[in-house]
Coordinates of all heavy atoms in Angstrom, one line a residue:
W30 N 10.9 0.0 17.7 CA 9.6 -0.7 17.9 C 9.9 -2.1 18.2 O 9.5 -2.8 19.1 CB 8.7 -0.4 16.6 CG 7.5 -1.2 16.4 CD1 6.2 -0.7 17.2 CD2 7.3 -2.5 16.0 NE1 5.5 -1.8 16.8 CE2 5.9 -2.7 16.1 CE3 8.1 -3.3 15.3 CZ2 5.3 -3.8 15.5 CZ3 7.6 -4.5 14.8 CH2 6.2 -4.7 14.9
L31 N 10.7 -2.7 17.2 CA 11.0 -4.2 17.3 C 11.8 -4.5 18.5 O 11.5 -5.5 19.3 CB 11.9 -4.5 16.0 CG 12.3 -6.0 16.0 CD1 11.0 -6.9 15.9 CD2 13.2 -6.3 14.8
N32 N 12.8 -3.7 18.9 CA 13.5 -3.9 20.2 C 12.6 -4.0 21.4 O 12.9 -4.8 22.2 CB 14.6 -2.8 20.3 CG 15.5 -3.0 21.5 OD1 16.2 -4.0 21.7 ND2 15.4 -2.1 22.4
E33 N 11.6 -3.1 21.5 CA 10.8 -3.1 22.8 C 9.9 -4.2 22.7 O 9.7 -4.8 23.8 CB 10.1 -1.8 22.9 CG 11.0 -0.6 23.1 CD 11.9 -0.5 24.1 OE1 11.8 -1.5 25.1 OE2 12.9 0.1 24.1
F34 N 9.5 -4.7 21.6 CA 8.6 -6.0 21.5 C 9.6 -7.1 22.0 O 9.2 -8.0 22.8 CB 8.0 -6.3 20.2 CG 6.8 -5.7 20.0 CD1 6.6 -4.4 19.5 CD2 5.5 -6.3 20.5 CE1 5.2 -3.8 19.3 CE2 4.3 -5.7 20.5 CZ 4.2 -4.5 19.8
E35 N 10.8 -7.3 21.4 CA 11.8 -8.4 21.8 C 12.2 -8.3 23.2 O 12.6 -9.3 23.7 CB 12.8 -8.2 20.8 CG 12.4 -8.7 19.3 CD 13.6 -8.6 18.4 OE1 14.7 -7.7 18.6 OE2 13.6 -9.3 17.4
N36 N 12.1 -7.2 24.0 CA 12.5 -7.1 25.3 C 11.3 -7.2 26.3 O 11.5 -7.0 27.5 CB 13.2 -5.8 25.6 CG 14.5 -5.7 24.9 OD1 15.3 -6.8 25.0 ND2 14.9 -4.7 24.4
R37 N 10.3 -7.6 25.8 CA 9.0 -7.9 26.7 C 9.2 -9.0 27.6 O 10.0 -9.9 27.2 CB 7.8 -8.1 25.9 CG 7.3 -6.8 25.1 CD 6.0 -7.2 24.3 NE 5.0 -7.8 25.1 CZ 3.8 -7.1 25.4 NH1 3.8 -5.9 25.1 NH2 2.8 -7.6 26.1
F38 N 8.7 -9.0 28.9 CA 8.8 -10.0 29.8 C 7.8 -11.1 29.4 O 6.8 -10.8 28.6 CB 8.4 -9.5 31.3 CG 9.4 -8.4 31.8 CD1 8.9 -7.4 32.6 CD2 10.7 -8.4 31.4 CE1 9.8 -6.4 33.1 CE2 11.7 -7.4 31.9 CZ 11.1 -6.5 32.8
P39 N 7.9 -12.2 30.0 CA 7.0 -13.3 29.8 C 5.7 -12.8 30.3 O 5.5 -11.8 31.1 CB 7.5 -14.5 30.6 CG 8.9 -14.2 30.8 CD 9.1 -12.8 30.7
S40 N 4.5 -13.4 29.7 CA 3.2 -13.0 30.1 C 3.0 -13.0 31.7 O 3.5 -13.9 32.4 CB 2.2 -14.0 29.5 OG 0.8 -13.6 29.8
Q41 N 2.3 -11.9 32.0 CA 2.2 -11.7 33.4 C 0.7 -12.1 34.0 O 0.4 -12.3 35.0 CB 2.3 -10.2 33.8 CG 3.6 -9.6 33.4 CD 4.8 -10.3 34.0 OE1 4.9 -10.2 35.3 NE2 5.7 -10.8 33.3
H42 N -0.3 -12.2 33.0 CA -1.6 -12.7 33.2 C -2.3 -12.9 31.9 O -1.7 -12.7 30.8 CB -2.3 -11.6 34.1 CG -2.5 -10.2 33.5 ND1 -3.1 -9.9 32.3 CD2 -1.8 -9.0 33.9 CE1 -3.1 -8.6 32.1 NE2 -2.2 -8.1 33.0
R43 N -3.5 -13.3 32.0 CA -4.3 -13.7 30.7 C -4.4 -12.7 29.6 O -4.4 -13.0 28.4 CB -5.7 -14.2 31.2 CG -6.7 -14.4 30.1 CD -7.9 -14.8 30.7 NE -9.1 -14.4 30.0 CZ -10.2 -15.3 29.5 NH1 -10.0 -16.5 30.0 NH2 -11.0 -14.8 29.0
H44 N -4.4 -11.4 30.1 CA -4.6 -10.4 29.0 C -3.3 -9.7 28.5 O -3.3 -8.6 27.9 CB -5.6 -9.3 29.5 CG -7.0 -9.9 29.8 ND1 -7.8 -10.2 28.8 CD2 -7.5 -10.1 31.1 CE1 -8.9 -10.7 29.4 NE2 -8.7 -10.6 30.6
D45 N -2.1 -10.3 29.1 CA -0.9 -9.8 28.6 C -0.2 -10.8 27.6 O 0.0 -12.1 28.0 CB 0.0 -9.7 29.9 CG 1.5 -9.3 29.5 OD1 1.7 -8.8 28.4 OD2 2.4 -9.6 30.5
K46 N 0.0 -10.4 26.5 CA 0.6 -11.4 25.4 C 2.1 -11.8 25.9 O 2.5 -12.7 25.3 CB 0.6 -10.9 24.0 CG -1.0 -10.7 23.5 CD -1.1 -10.1 22.1 CE -2.5 -10.2 21.8 NZ -2.7 -9.3 20.5
G47 N 2.8 -10.9 26.7 CA 4.1 -11.3 27.0 C 5.0 -11.3 25.8 O 4.8 -10.5 24.9
K48 N 5.8 -12.1 25.9 CA 6.9 -12.3 24.6 C 6.1 -12.8 23.4 O 5.3 -13.6 23.5 CB 8.0 -13.3 24.9 CG 9.0 -12.7 26.0 CD 10.3 -13.4 25.7 CE 11.4 -12.7 26.5 NZ 11.9 -11.6 26.0
I49 N 6.5 -12.1 22.3 CA 5.6 -12.3 21.0 C 6.6 -12.9 19.9 O 7.7 -12.2 19.9 CB 4.8 -11.2 20.6 CG1 3.8 -10.8 21.7 CG2 4.3 -11.5 19.3 CD1 3.3 -9.5 21.3
D50 N 6.5 -13.8 19.2 CA 7.3 -14.2 18.2 C 7.3 -13.0 17.1 O 6.3 -12.9 16.4 CB 6.9 -15.5 17.5 CG 7.8 -16.0 16.3 OD1 8.8 -15.3 16.1 OD2 7.4 -16.9 15.7
M51 N 8.3 -12.4 16.9 CA 8.4 -11.2 16.0 C 9.1 -11.6 14.7 O 9.4 -10.6 13.9 CB 9.2 -10.1 16.8 CG 8.5 -9.6 17.9 SD 6.8 -9.0 17.7 CE 7.2 -7.4 16.9
S52 N 9.4 -12.9 14.4 CA 10.2 -13.3 13.3 C 9.6 -12.8 11.9 O 10.3 -12.6 11.0 CB 10.5 -14.8 13.2 OG 9.3 -15.5 13.1
E53 N 8.3 -12.6 11.9 CA 7.6 -12.2 10.7 C 7.6 -10.7 10.4 O 7.2 -10.2 9.4 CB 6.2 -12.9 10.5 CG 6.3 -14.3 10.4 CD 4.9 -14.8 10.3 OE1 3.9 -14.2 9.8 OE2 4.6 -16.1 10.5
C54 N 8.1 -10.0 11.5 CA 7.9 -8.6 11.5 C 9.2 -8.0 11.0 O 9.8 -7.2 11.6 CB 7.6 -8.1 12.9 SG 6.1 -8.7 13.6
T55 N 9.3 -8.1 9.6 CA 10.5 -7.5 8.9 C 10.4 -6.1 8.8 O 9.3 -5.5 9.0 CB 10.7 -8.3 7.4 OG1 9.4 -8.0 6.8 CG2 10.8 -9.8 7.6
Q56 N 11.4 -5.5 8.2 CA 11.3 -4.0 8.0 C 10.2 -3.7 7.0 O 9.4 -2.7 7.2 CB 12.6 -3.5 7.6 CG 12.6 -2.0 7.5 CD 14.1 -1.5 7.4 OE1 15.0 -2.2 7.1 NE2 14.3 -0.1 7.6
E57 N 10.1 -4.5 6.0 CA 9.1 -4.3 5.0 C 7.7 -4.6 5.6 O 6.8 -3.7 5.3 CB 9.3 -5.4 3.8 CG 8.2 -5.2 2.8 CD 8.5 -6.2 1.5 OE1 9.5 -7.0 1.6 OE2 7.6 -6.1 0.8
W58 N 7.7 -5.5 6.4 CA 6.2 -5.8 7.1 C 5.9 -4.6 8.0 O 4.8 -4.1 7.9 CB 6.3 -7.0 8.0 CG 5.2 -7.3 8.7 CD1 4.2 -8.2 8.3 CD2 4.7 -6.8 10.0 NE1 3.2 -8.2 9.2 CE2 3.5 -7.4 10.3 CE3 5.4 -5.9 10.9 CZ2 2.8 -7.1 11.5 CZ3 4.7 -5.6 12.0 CH2 3.5 -6.3 12.3
F59 N 6.8 -4.0 8.6 CA 6.5 -2.7 9.4 C 6.2 -1.6 8.6 O 5.3 -0.8 9.0 CB 7.8 -2.5 10.3 CG 7.7 -1.3 11.2 CD1 6.9 -1.5 12.2 CD2 8.1 0.0 10.9 CE1 6.8 -0.3 13.3 CE2 8.0 1.1 11.7 CZ 7.3 1.0 13.0
Y60 N 7.0 -1.4 7.4 CA 6.6 -0.4 6.6 C 5.3 -0.4 6.1 O 4.5 0.6 6.0 CB 7.6 -0.3 5.4 CG 9.0 0.2 5.7 CD1 9.3 0.6 6.9 CD2 9.9 0.4 4.7 CE1 10.6 1.0 7.2 CE2 11.1 0.8 5.0 CZ 11.5 1.2 6.2 OH 12.9 1.6 6.4
N61 N 4.7 -1.6 5.7 CA 3.3 -1.8 5.3 C 2.3 -1.4 6.5 O 1.3 -0.9 6.2 CB 3.3 -3.3 4.8 CG 3.8 -3.5 3.5 OD1 3.8 -2.5 2.6 ND2 4.2 -4.7 3.2
L62 N 2.7 -1.9 7.7 CA 1.9 -1.5 8.8 C 1.7 0.0 9.0 O 0.7 0.5 9.3 CB 2.5 -2.1 10.1 CG 1.8 -1.9 11.5 CD1 0.5 -2.7 11.5 CD2 2.7 -2.2 12.7
V63 N 2.8 0.7 8.9 CA 2.8 2.1 8.9 C 1.9 2.7 7.9 O 1.0 3.7 8.2 CB 4.3 2.8 9.0 CG1 4.2 4.3 8.8 CG2 5.1 2.4 10.1
D64 N 1.9 2.3 6.6 CA 1.1 2.7 5.5 C -0.3 2.4 5.8 O -1.2 3.1 5.7 CB 1.6 2.0 4.3 CG 2.9 2.7 3.7 OD1 3.2 3.6 4.1 OD2 3.5 2.0 2.8
K65 N -0.5 1.2 6.4 CA -1.9 0.8 6.8 C -2.5 1.6 7.9 O -3.7 2.2 7.8 CB -1.9 -0.7 7.2 CG -3.4 -1.2 7.7 CD -3.3 -2.5 8.1 CE -4.7 -3.0 8.5 NZ -4.8 -4.4 9.0
H66 N -1.7 1.9 8.9 CA -2.2 3.0 9.9 C -2.5 4.3 9.3 O -3.5 4.9 9.7 CB -1.2 3.2 11.0 CG -0.9 2.0 12.0 ND1 -0.1 1.9 12.9 CD2 -1.6 0.8 12.0 CE1 -0.1 0.8 13.6 NE2 -1.1 0.0 12.9
Q67 N -1.7 4.8 8.3 CA -2.1 6.0 7.6 C -3.1 6.1 6.9 O -4.0 6.9 6.9 CB -0.8 6.4 6.7 CG 0.4 7.0 7.5 CD 0.1 8.3 8.1 OE1 -0.4 9.1 7.3 NE2 0.6 8.5 9.2
D68 N -3.4 4.9 6.1 CA -4.7 4.8 5.3 C -6.0 4.7 6.2 O -6.9 5.5 5.9 CB -4.6 3.5 4.5 CG -5.7 3.4 3.6 OD1 -6.0 4.3 2.8 OD2 -6.3 2.3 3.6
L69 N -5.9 3.9 7.3 CA -7.0 3.8 8.2 C -7.3 5.2 8.8 O -8.5 5.7 9.1 CB -6.7 2.9 9.3 CG -6.8 1.4 8.9 CD1 -6.2 0.6 10.1 CD2 -8.1 0.9 8.5
A70 N -6.3 6.1 9.2 CA -6.5 7.3 9.9 C -7.1 8.4 8.7 O -7.9 9.1 9.1 CB -5.2 7.8 10.3
L71 N -6.5 8.3 7.5 CA -7.0 9.2 6.5 C -8.5 8.9 6.1 O -9.2 9.9 5.8 CB -6.1 9.1 5.3 CG -4.7 9.7 5.5 CD1 -3.8 9.4 4.3 CD2 -4.8 11.2 5.7
K72 N -8.9 7.7 6.4 CA -10.3 7.3 6.1 C -11.2 7.5 7.5 O -12.3 7.1 7.3 CB -10.3 5.9 5.5 CG -9.7 5.7 4.3 CD -9.6 4.3 3.7 CE -9.2 4.2 2.4 NZ -9.0 2.7 1.9
D73 N -10.6 7.8 8.4 CA -11.3 8.1 9.8 C -11.8 6.7 10.1 O -12.8 6.6 10.9 CB -12.3 9.2 9.7 CG -12.8 9.5 11.1 OD1 -12.0 9.5 12.0 OD2 -13.9 9.8 11.2
I74 N -11.2 5.7 9.9 CA -11.7 4.4 10.4 C -10.9 4.2 11.9 O -11.7 3.6 12.8 CB -11.3 3.3 9.5 CG1 -12.1 3.5 8.1 CG2 -11.6 1.8 10.1 CD1 -11.6 2.5 7.0
A75 N -9.7 4.3 11.8 CA -8.9 4.0 13.1 C -7.7 5.0 13.1 O -7.2 5.5 12.2 CB -8.5 2.8 13.2
H76 N -7.3 5.5 14.4 CA -6.2 6.3 14.6 C -5.4 5.7 15.6 O -5.7 5.4 16.8 CB -6.7 7.7 15.0 CG -7.7 8.4 14.1 ND1 -7.2 9.2 13.1 CD2 -9.0 8.3 14.1 CE1 -8.3 9.6 12.4 NE2 -9.4 9.1 13.0
V77 N -4.2 5.3 15.1 CA -3.2 4.4 15.9 C -2.0 5.3 16.3 O -1.3 5.9 15.3 CB -2.8 3.1 15.2 CG1 -1.8 2.4 16.2 CG2 -4.0 2.4 14.7
F78 N -1.7 5.4 17.5 CA -0.6 6.2 18.1 C 0.4 5.3 18.8 O 0.0 4.6 19.6 CB -1.1 7.3 19.0 CG -2.0 8.4 18.4 CD1 -3.5 7.9 18.4 CD2 -1.5 9.5 17.8 CE1 -4.2 9.0 17.7 CE2 -2.3 10.4 17.1 CZ -3.7 10.2 17.1
G79 N 1.7 5.6 18.5 CA 2.8 4.9 19.3 C 3.0 6.0 20.6 O 2.8 7.2 20.5
V80 N 3.4 5.3 21.6 CA 3.8 6.0 22.8 C 5.2 5.9 23.1 O 5.8 4.8 23.1 CB 3.0 5.4 24.0 CG1 3.3 6.2 25.4 CG2 1.5 5.5 23.8
F81 N 5.9 7.1 23.1 CA 7.4 7.0 23.3 C 7.8 7.9 24.4 O 7.2 8.9 24.7 CB 8.1 7.8 21.9 CG 7.6 7.0 20.5 CD1 6.5 7.2 19.9 CD2 8.4 6.0 20.2 CE1 6.2 6.6 18.8 CE2 8.1 5.2 19.0 CZ 6.9 5.7 18.3
R82 N 8.9 7.4 25.0 CA 9.5 8.2 26.3 C 10.2 9.2 25.7 O 11.2 9.0 24.8 CB 10.2 7.2 27.2 CG 10.6 7.7 28.4 CD 11.1 6.7 29.4 NE 12.1 5.7 28.8 CZ 12.5 4.7 29.3 NH1 11.9 4.3 30.5 NH2 13.5 4.0 28.7
K83 N 10.1 10.5 26.3 CA 10.9 11.7 25.8 C 12.3 11.5 26.0 O 13.2 11.8 25.1 CB 10.5 12.8 26.4 CG 9.3 13.7 25.9 CD 9.1 14.9 26.6 CE 8.0 15.7 26.1 NZ 7.7 16.9 26.8
E84 N 12.8 11.0 27.2 CA 14.2 11.0 27.5 C 15.0 10.2 26.6 O 16.2 10.6 26.5 CB 14.3 10.6 29.0 CG 14.1 9.1 29.2 CD 14.4 8.6 30.6 OE1 13.8 9.2 31.5 OE2 15.2 7.7 30.9
D85 N 14.5 9.0 26.0 CA 15.4 8.3 25.2 C 14.8 7.8 23.9 O 15.3 7.0 23.1 CB 16.0 7.0 25.9 CG 14.7 6.1 26.5 OD1 13.7 6.4 26.3 OD2 15.2 5.3 27.2
G86 N 13.5 8.1 23.7 CA 12.7 7.7 22.5 C 12.2 6.2 22.5 O 11.7 5.8 21.5
A87 N 12.4 5.6 23.6 CA 11.9 4.2 23.8 C 10.5 4.1 23.4 O 9.6 4.9 23.8 CB 12.1 3.6 25.1
H88 N 10.1 3.1 22.6 CA 8.7 2.8 22.3 C 8.0 2.0 23.4 O 8.3 0.9 23.7 CB 8.6 2.0 21.0 CG 7.2 1.6 20.6 ND1 6.6 0.4 21.0 CD2 6.3 2.2 19.9 CE1 5.5 0.3 20.5 NE2 5.1 1.4 20.0
L89 N 7.1 2.6 24.2 CA 6.5 2.1 25.3 C 5.2 1.3 25.1 O 4.8 0.5 25.8 CB 6.1 3.2 26.4 CG 7.4 4.0 26.6 CD1 6.9 5.2 27.7 CD2 8.5 3.4 27.3
G90 N 4.6 1.5 24.0 CA 3.3 0.9 23.7 C 2.4 1.7 22.7 O 3.0 2.5 21.9
M91 N 1.1 1.4 22.6 CA 0.3 2.0 21.7 C -1.1 2.5 22.3 O -1.4 1.9 23.4 CB 0.0 1.0 20.6 CG 1.1 0.3 19.9 SD 2.1 1.5 18.9 CE 1.0 1.8 17.6

Side-chain angles (χ1 to χ4, degrees):
W30 174 89
L31 183 63
N32 182 61
E33 298 304 339
F34 270 100
E35 290 177 337
N36 287 322
R37 289 175 61 102
F38 297 147
S40 178
Q41 307 295 304
H42 58 73
R43 168 179 152 129
H44 298 287
D45 173 25
K46 292 181 180 167
K48 288 208 170 278
I49 301 169
D50 178 9
M51 301 298 287
S52 61
E53 293 184 19
C54 300
T55 64
Q56 190 168 13
E57 180 180 355
W58 180 93
F59 181 79
Y60 287 2
N61 287 332
L62 177 69
V63 170
D64 287 344
K65 180 180 178 182
H66 288 178
Q67 282 289 317
D68 187 53
L69 291 170
L71 292 171
K72 292 176 178 172
D73 193 34
I74 296 168
H76 303 275
V77 182
F78 296 91
V80 178
F81 299 89
R82 189 167 50 195
K83 271 187 184 178
E84 72 180 53
D85 59 3
H88 177 260
L89 305 179
M91 304 294 288

